[in-house]
Amino acid sequence: MISIDKKQNCCGCEACIQRCPKSCIQMQQDTEGFLYPVVDTESCIDCGICEKICPILNQSNEKKPLTVYAAKCKDESLRLESSSGGIFTLLANEIIRENGVVFGAKFNSKWEVIHDYATTAEELAQFRGSKYVQSKIGQSYQQVLHFLKGGGNVLFSGTPCQIAGLKLFLQKDYENLITVDFICHGVPSPEVWRLYLNDILHKRQSIPENIRFRDKRSGWKKYSLSISFKKMNTCTKKLTFAQSVYENLYLRGFLANLYLRPSCHHCPSKSFKSNSDITIADFWGIESLLPNWNDDRGVSLVMLNSPLGERIFGNINTTHQECEYREIIPLNPAIVHSAPAHIYRTDFFHDLNTHKYSISSLVLKYCFTPRERIKRIIKKWSGIK
Ligand SMILES: Cc1cc2nc3c(=O)[nH]c(=O)nc-3n(C[C@H](O)[C@H](O)[C@H](O)COP(=O)(O)OP(=O)(O)OC[C@H]3O[C@@H](n4cnc5c(N)ncnc54)[C@H](O)[C@@H]3O)c2cc1C
Ligand code: SF4
Ligand code: SF4
Ligand code: SF4
């Protein structure tokens, strides 16, 4: 039976739970806010299935993509709504047009990130845009299997380890399944996100209407987190909070690797080990490789890993240009390397569990030098005056 000796040995894909014939595994939240499987040993029959399908215990070989493109969708408003070049929505639309089903990550009513499925183009909007929080897979692998057996086309999108978990859960290839992952920096703790958001909402006495982790209104490269709220008790007044990565403390902590899942520092799915058909990413460094494309509205890096991936990409209407794989690795090292943990990661979670500090104050404490903290305070004061 599955047993997690070190936290880094579980990426939280939930494949084991969804396959266990005795339903005797449950996810439990740890003190960092990540979910891990716990087996009810009384009910376990020691069949070993959970170990056979775990993507950490059964890693594939490293691969290289078949073809690599810089690509962007031609619809400018769709590109602006998406994190990079809007390629995910174009691929997903193709499946929906053929009456297929698309799985992706969305916010639920509590602004937690969960996996769900869409059957219409309108429903796809909820998956659009990166959410920098680990998504809960729930029952989605079982739902994928149900749709695959029904004979319709299914597109499943998620982190590389979620794709690896799905493939092992299914145990065989299906011609009607297309998998799309992305180059993955890592996923932050859902509990850290919950505490951060609660703090923001409490200060403003507001309810969120929309949250975007990659609001492009001030540019693609600025990585802005924006939240539009309704003021409590005054339904008419609307407020918007928008901060770039230079100002926003949640994004700063994410990109400094302060609260990523431990498995992300030893990722089991780098270098295309997920076996996905298509991998999408931000085309960082586009200004050096293709200067004419550099309009700060978002360009996708598209890596086609299978003939099926090549065929589906060939069907969508994009502006694209082929690139050399060896040229893009130095521009986006997360393709092959895991992010190292922040040196104060353990101290951060220790302080958090004393319940005395806000997420913002801890990011300031651990990710900023004293000089930077003073500059920030002065800037805030001068803003108030
Ligand atoms: C946690 C995270 C880390 C990332 N790290 C990098 C990186 O280091 N380098 C890089 O180049 N690109 C990274 N990306 C990918 C990039 O931000 C874009 O999501 C990707 O390029 C697709 O952009 P798009 O414009 O085609 O479509 P978009 O509409 O932006 O695509 C959204 C897609 O992402 C999926 N998704 C969103 N949030 C999550 C989530 N929390 N868990 C699982 N799936 C999710 C949706 O289901 C959908 O398939 C990351 C994305 C996420 C969510
Ligand atoms: S060994 Fe079998 S019964 Fe026991 S937890 Fe794993 S899958 Fe379930
Ligand atoms: S990585 Fe997935 S399958 Fe393996 S133990 Fe964790 S949740 Fe279960
Ligand atoms: S970095 Fe690796 S382990 Fe972490 S979420 Fe991404 S694919 Fe999974």
Side-chain angles (χ1 to χ4, degrees):
M1 87 188 75
I2 212 90
S3 132
I4 312 299
D5 52 344
K6 286 189 199 148
K7 292 276 165 79
Q8 69 191 52
N9 290 340
C10 173
C11 63
C13 70
E14 303 191 33
C16 53
I17 295 203
Q18 295 181 71
R19 258 290 171 224
C20 174
K22 300 303 283 180
S23 304
C24 65
I25 316 180
Q26 276 191 341
M27 288 308 247
Q28 272 180 20
Q29 188 172 306
D30 75 347
T31 53
E32 296 181 347
F34 294 106
L35 297 174
Y36 291 89
V38 177
V39 178
D40 168 9
T41 48
E42 296 279 295
S43 316
C44 170
I45 52 168
D46 229 351
C47 65
I49 291 177
C50 48
E51 288 162 311
K52 233 188 258 167
I53 55 142
C54 172
I56 301 263
L57 297 176
N58 305 278
Q59 296 181 29
S60 294
N61 294 330
E62 293 184 358
K63 288 196 318 196
K64 284 186 183 158
L66 303 176
T67 9
V68 177
Y69 288 102
K72 54 188 177 184
C73 76
K74 292 182 176 172
D75 175 341
E76 282 298 296
S77 61
L78 177 57
R79 183 153 72 110
L80 283 176
E81 279 175 30
S82 308
S83 301
S84 317
I87 298 303
F88 161 71
T89 303
L90 297 184
L91 295 167
N93 271 333
E94 195 62 17
I95 303 301
I96 296 284
R97 222 169 31 83
E98 295 163 0
N99 299 319
V101 182
V102 173
F103 285 76
K106 67 168 200 180
F107 288 112
N108 67 11
S109 58
K110 293 189 209 154
W111 300 97
E112 298 161 336
V113 180
I114 58 162
H115 255 70
D116 201 354
Y117 65 84
T119 53
T120 64
E122 292 71 38
E123 285 171 349
L124 282 181
Q126 55 194 341
F127 302 149
R128 207 168 294 136
S130 298
K131 288 108 188 150
Y132 295 130
V133 184
Q134 179 161 33
S135 81
K136 266 191 208 151
I137 280 286
Q139 302 301 304
S140 52
Y141 294 170
Q142 290 176 350
Q143 291 164 338
V144 168
L145 181 60
H146 168 80
F147 287 118
L148 289 174
K149 284 186 171 165
N153 288 339
V154 177
L155 183 154
F156 188 93
S157 67
T159 63
C161 61
Q162 288 170 339
I163 303 292
L166 170 66
K167 295 245 167 172
L168 284 156
F169 169 89
L170 293 173
Q171 288 286 295
K172 69 171 203 163
D173 292 334
Y174 286 83
E175 279 179 4
N176 49 341
L177 172 67
I178 172 140
T179 49
V180 180
D181 60 7
F182 43 81
I183 297 305
C184 185
H185 177 75
V187 284
S189 156
E191 183 62 7
V192 169
W193 167 242
R194 189 185 70 79
L195 291 170
Y196 173 78
L197 186 62
N198 275 357
D199 200 30
I200 296 266
L201 301 183
H202 183 72
K203 275 188 199 141
R204 288 170 177 76
Q205 290 292 299
S206 304
I207 308 166
E209 276 195 321
N210 193 17
I211 300 181
R212 296 168 78 177
F213 281 92
R214 296 291 297 273
D215 190 322
K216 289 181 180 167
R217 276 174 292 187
S218 51
W220 168 50
K221 291 175 192 157
K222 277 211 176 127
Y223 251 96
S224 297
L225 171 61
S226 76
I227 308 177
S228 43
F229 328 85
K230 264 202 315 237
K231 264 276 200 212
M232 277 180 210
N233 310 324
T234 50
C235 314
T236 45
K237 190 157 179 210
K238 287 197 182 171
L239 302 167
T240 300
F241 157 98
Q243 286 184 335
S244 76
V245 66
Y246 309 110
E247 305 151 306
N248 184 262
L249 295 170
Y250 181 82
L251 289 176
R252 278 292 279 260
F254 163 53
L255 291 173
N257 313 326
L258 194 58
Y259 31 75
L260 299 182
R261 192 174 175 103
S263 59
C264 300
H265 306 304
H266 309 268
C267 177
S269 308
K270 292 282 167 203
S271 302
F272 310 94
K273 282 158 76 180
S274 69
N275 291 314
S276 66
D277 297 294
I278 301 180
T279 303
I280 47 182
D282 287 291
F283 204 129
W284 299 132
I286 191 79
E287 61 281 5
S288 60
L289 216 56
L290 299 170
N292 293 346
W293 284 57
N294 187 25
D295 61 3
D296 208 18
R297 289 166 166 229
V299 179
S300 291
L301 172 61
V302 181
M303 287 153 283
L304 305 174
N305 310 322
S306 71
L308 175 64
E310 289 190 314
R311 184 156 59 75
I312 307 256
F313 182 72
N315 290 347
I316 63 173
N317 189 12
T318 59
T319 305
H320 57 269
Q321 185 160 331
E322 196 167 344
C323 303
E324 291 282 337
Y325 179 57
R326 63 177 168 77
E327 285 184 315
I328 56 150
I329 300 288
L331 301 174
N332 203 333
I335 296 173
V336 289
H337 296 302
S338 299
H342 192 285
I343 48 164
Y344 294 121
R345 186 184 184 283
T346 310
D347 304 71
F348 166 84
F349 279 110
H350 173 269
D351 284 0
L352 189 65
N353 283 309
T354 63
H355 306 289
K356 286 190 197 151
Y357 309 99
S358 68
I359 301 296
S360 300
S361 65
L362 291 177
V363 173
L364 272 175
K365 178 175 172 187
Y366 291 121
C367 298
F368 286 71
T369 60
R371 206 185 146 91
E372 281 177 316
R373 281 201 287 273
I374 292 167
K375 265 172 86 181
R376 213 180 141 91
I377 293 167
I378 295 171
K379 201 172 160 202
K380 213 168 163 187
W381 280 349
S382 47
I384 292 167
K385 280 174 208 157

